[in-house]
Short mmCIF file of all heavy atoms in Angstrom, two decimals:
data_model
loop_
_atom_site.label_atom_id
_atom_site.label_comp_id
_atom_site.label_asym_id
_atom_site.label_seq_id
_atom_site.Cartn_x
_atom_site.Cartn_y
_atom_site.Cartn_z
N GLU A 73 20.18 -14.41 40.46
CA GLU A 73 20.19 -15.63 39.60
C GLU A 73 21.39 -16.53 39.83
O GLU A 73 22.46 -16.00 40.29
CB GLU A 73 20.23 -15.18 38.10
CG GLU A 73 18.95 -14.58 37.58
CD GLU A 73 18.97 -14.29 36.09
OE1 GLU A 73 20.02 -14.51 35.48
OE2 GLU A 73 17.89 -13.94 35.57
N VAL A 74 21.19 -17.81 39.54
CA VAL A 74 22.32 -18.75 39.55
C VAL A 74 23.24 -18.39 38.42
O VAL A 74 22.80 -17.97 37.35
CB VAL A 74 21.78 -20.15 39.39
CG1 VAL A 74 22.91 -21.11 39.34
CG2 VAL A 74 20.76 -20.49 40.48
N GLU A 75 24.53 -18.55 38.62
CA GLU A 75 25.56 -18.24 37.54
C GLU A 75 26.02 -19.50 36.93
O GLU A 75 26.07 -20.60 37.60
CB GLU A 75 26.69 -17.51 38.11
CG GLU A 75 26.36 -16.11 38.66
CD GLU A 75 27.60 -15.36 39.13
OE1 GLU A 75 28.74 -15.87 38.98
OE2 GLU A 75 27.49 -14.20 39.58
N LYS A 76 26.32 -19.45 35.64
CA LYS A 76 26.84 -20.65 34.97
C LYS A 76 28.12 -21.15 35.61
O LYS A 76 28.99 -20.35 35.93
CB LYS A 76 27.09 -20.33 33.49
CG LYS A 76 25.83 -20.12 32.70
CD LYS A 76 26.13 -19.55 31.29
CE LYS A 76 26.70 -20.66 30.43
NZ LYS A 76 26.82 -20.25 29.00
N GLY A 77 28.19 -22.47 35.87
CA GLY A 77 29.37 -23.06 36.46
C GLY A 77 29.15 -23.35 37.99
O GLY A 77 29.88 -24.03 38.57
N ASP A 78 28.11 -22.71 38.63
CA ASP A 78 27.80 -22.95 40.05
C ASP A 78 27.30 -24.39 40.21
O ASP A 78 26.60 -24.98 39.36
CB ASP A 78 26.65 -22.00 40.44
CG ASP A 78 27.16 -20.53 40.66
OD1 ASP A 78 28.35 -20.31 40.42
OD2 ASP A 78 26.26 -19.73 41.04
N ILE A 79 27.73 -24.97 41.35
CA ILE A 79 27.21 -26.24 41.81
C ILE A 79 26.01 -25.97 42.76
O ILE A 79 26.24 -25.27 43.75
CB ILE A 79 28.28 -27.08 42.42
CG1 ILE A 79 29.37 -27.42 41.42
CG2 ILE A 79 27.69 -28.36 42.95
CD1 ILE A 79 30.57 -28.31 41.99
N VAL A 80 24.87 -26.50 42.35
CA VAL A 80 23.62 -26.03 42.97
C VAL A 80 22.87 -27.23 43.61
O VAL A 80 22.80 -28.30 43.05
CB VAL A 80 22.71 -25.40 41.98
CG1 VAL A 80 21.43 -24.87 42.55
CG2 VAL A 80 23.47 -24.22 41.22
N LEU A 81 22.30 -27.07 44.74
CA LEU A 81 21.38 -27.96 45.43
C LEU A 81 19.96 -27.53 45.13
O LEU A 81 19.64 -26.37 45.27
CB LEU A 81 21.58 -28.01 46.96
CG LEU A 81 20.75 -29.05 47.70
CD1 LEU A 81 21.31 -30.44 47.45
CD2 LEU A 81 20.78 -28.78 49.21
N PHE A 82 19.08 -28.47 44.67
CA PHE A 82 17.75 -28.13 44.27
C PHE A 82 16.88 -29.34 44.52
O PHE A 82 17.35 -30.51 44.50
CB PHE A 82 17.73 -27.70 42.81
CG PHE A 82 18.32 -28.74 41.84
CD1 PHE A 82 17.53 -29.63 41.21
CD2 PHE A 82 19.68 -28.60 41.55
CE1 PHE A 82 18.05 -30.54 40.32
CE2 PHE A 82 20.24 -29.52 40.67
CZ PHE A 82 19.50 -30.45 40.04
N ASN A 83 15.57 -29.07 44.72
CA ASN A 83 14.59 -30.13 44.79
C ASN A 83 14.30 -30.77 43.45
O ASN A 83 14.39 -30.13 42.38
CB ASN A 83 13.26 -29.54 45.36
CG ASN A 83 13.44 -29.06 46.75
OD1 ASN A 83 13.38 -27.88 47.07
ND2 ASN A 83 13.50 -29.99 47.75
N ASP A 84 14.05 -32.06 43.47
CA ASP A 84 13.78 -32.83 42.26
C ASP A 84 12.55 -32.28 41.49
O ASP A 84 11.44 -32.26 42.04
CB ASP A 84 13.58 -34.25 42.61
CG ASP A 84 13.37 -35.21 41.46
OD1 ASP A 84 13.38 -34.65 40.30
OD2 ASP A 84 13.13 -36.38 41.70
N PRO A 85 12.76 -31.77 40.24
CA PRO A 85 11.62 -31.28 39.50
C PRO A 85 10.89 -32.30 38.66
O PRO A 85 10.04 -32.00 37.88
CB PRO A 85 12.23 -30.19 38.59
CG PRO A 85 13.64 -30.80 38.38
CD PRO A 85 14.03 -31.49 39.58
N GLY A 86 11.33 -33.53 38.77
CA GLY A 86 10.85 -34.66 37.96
C GLY A 86 9.40 -34.94 38.09
O GLY A 86 8.78 -34.68 39.17
#
Side-chain angles (χ1 to χ4, degrees):
E73 290 187 354
V74 178
E75 295 184 2
K76 290 173 71 173
D78 286 356
I79 296 180
V80 182
L81 184 73
F82 54 93
N83 293 108
D84 182 0

